[in-house]
Amino acid sequence: MFDEKIKATGQVSFVLTDENGNIKQQDSKNLVVDPGLAFIASRMVGTTSAVMSHMAIGTGTTAAADAQTALVTESARVALTSSTVVTTT
């Protein structure tokens, strides 16, 4: 029996525009928590899990942890209405 953990990484890109039209982009690494890894695994073996429907960001100062299931201080949530698959080599 194998006991391995999926090694998934997340990255979020924010593009901000100020009142003068100046654009600032910030890229940030994002932790994929255990429930997210379980979701990925479930989608690999079938479609028992529903398609991901929302994404949220938070402003909390509590450190991210693998077992988290919710943001500590959620500040925004949006519905996911489309997706783009990006492949790398």
Side-chain angles (χ1 to χ4, degrees):
M1 174 180 244
F2 291 100
D3 185 17
E4 291 190 34
K5 188 172 185 176
I6 295 172
K7 298 196 181 6
T9 59
Q11 180 162 334
V12 177
S13 293
F14 298 97
V15 178
L16 308 170
T17 306
D18 68 15
E19 65 276 359
N20 298 318
N22 299 313
I23 296 174
K24 178 181 178 184
Q25 181 170 343
Q26 179 178 344
D27 297 323
S28 180
K29 289 185 178 182
N30 196 16
L31 175 66
V32 179
V33 294
D34 291 344
L37 297 174
F39 176 84
I40 292 167
S42 74
R43 299 296 292 173
M44 293 171 81
V45 297
T47 57
T48 57
S49 292
V51 174
M52 207 171 283
S53 63
H54 289 77
M55 183 174 93
I57 59 171
T59 58
T61 58
T62 303
D66 289 338
Q68 276 184 277
T69 59
L71 292 168
V72 176
T73 308
E74 186 175 306
S75 60
R77 174 180 289 260
V78 296
L80 300 174
T81 57
S82 66
S83 65
T84 301
V85 176
V86 178
T87 58
T88 59
T89 55

